Amino acid sequence: MRVQLAVFDIDGTLLHTGQPLSPHTMAALHDTYRRGISLALASSRPAAALDVIADTIKLPMYRIAYNGAYAEDLRGDDIMTEAFRVDAPLLTALQHYQQRGGTVHLYDQMHRWIAFGDRGRVEEEERIVGVRVHYRTTMIDTRDVETPLFKALCQGQEQHLGEVRELLAAQGDLNLLSSGRDYYDIHPVRAGKHAALTALCKHLQIGLDEVAAFGDSDSDAEMLAHVGLGVAVGNASARARTAASVHLEGPGSGALEDFLLQLQPPSSLDS
């Protein structure tokens, strides 16, 4: 298939969560870029963590962070930002979620990461994403949510999210989407990877039909459904598989790397 842009989720797509990016995958990305296809990362990870991945790959890459609430160009300039404020009912629901054993991570508009809850979970998340939390304490309170957020991450058992889920469904302006096992992201309905990718395509003056997108979670599904080629990878969720037109084996199998060899940029004869 001929594409202008290839966009990749990270965890479960480019790599196994908590593991380094393989040299084989990096070589395939470099080959894809050399053939004239632009590259982008689209992840639930914070912007600073995408910088770490891009620096590891050593290629110019557009970045979609916080599950699509923020996108930036190759110079680091904003393409899209969508933030929200935590009101009193949502703050109360998050506090109750914490009391049931959940850990809450807030990513604010100043690109700060603030974490509340289990120290072990926070330290594990630091190890996975490769950046340090700015502030950690036990229980979230009003002072912690004064700055608008790009995303709130609820980390823990899904059955403890009932109050949060019901509240967001009633309010209608925020989404709650799974971005991995025991990971549930809250972000504005106007955001999401599909919305951010649409803004990026407008910035690049290309169509979504000229994009190949790769992902594995519910938060990838809308993006996979609306591009020219949507590819579900590895242990993809049911929503991601349904949205995609292709399913590949997961990181380490070589399937993604082999598939990238089939992508070609539009030639001058096509224009």
Side-chain angles (χ1 to χ4, degrees), residues 135-197:
Y135 173 69
R136 188 193 73 82
T137 189
T138 52
M139 182 62 67
I140 186 174
D141 66 30
T142 304
R143 293 167 296 178
D144 302 314
V145 297
E146 292 175 346
T147 303
L149 306 179
F150 284 129
K151 186 186 83 165
L153 165 64
C154 296
Q155 185 183 10
Q157 297 182 41
E158 183 178 10
Q159 61 262 37
H160 296 154
L161 278 168
E163 183 179 348
V164 174
R165 192 183 299 278
E166 290 174 8
L167 175 66
L168 297 184
Q171 290 181 339
D173 56 349
L174 296 174
N175 273 334
L176 177 68
L177 284 175
S178 170
S179 59
R181 186 169 180 235
D182 294 335
Y183 281 71
Y184 301 91
D185 288 355
I186 299 170
H187 59 72
V189 296
R190 298 182 306 276
K193 292 183 180 180
H194 170 244
L197 180 57

Side-chain angles (χ1 to χ4, degrees), residues 59-70:
L59 285 174
M61 304 188 82
Y62 298 93
R63 292 123 196 232
I64 295 171
Y66 309 109
N67 247 341
Y70 176 78

Side-chain angles (χ1 to χ4, degrees), residues 22-39:
S22 78
H24 188 197
T25 302
M26 284 194 281
L29 292 171
H30 276 257
D31 178 74
T32 303
Y33 179 76
R34 281 195 300 268
R35 286 184 281 113
I37 298 172
S38 297
L39 305 177

Side-chain angles (χ1 to χ4, degrees), residues 113-134:
W113 169 19
I114 310 168
F116 311 90
D118 183 80
R119 183 185 187 92
R121 281 181 179 163
V122 176
E123 291 177 348
E124 176 67 8
E125 187 67 7
E126 287 180 317
R127 186 185 70 81
I128 289 171
V129 302
V131 297
R132 298 293 301 273
V133 67
H134 291 88

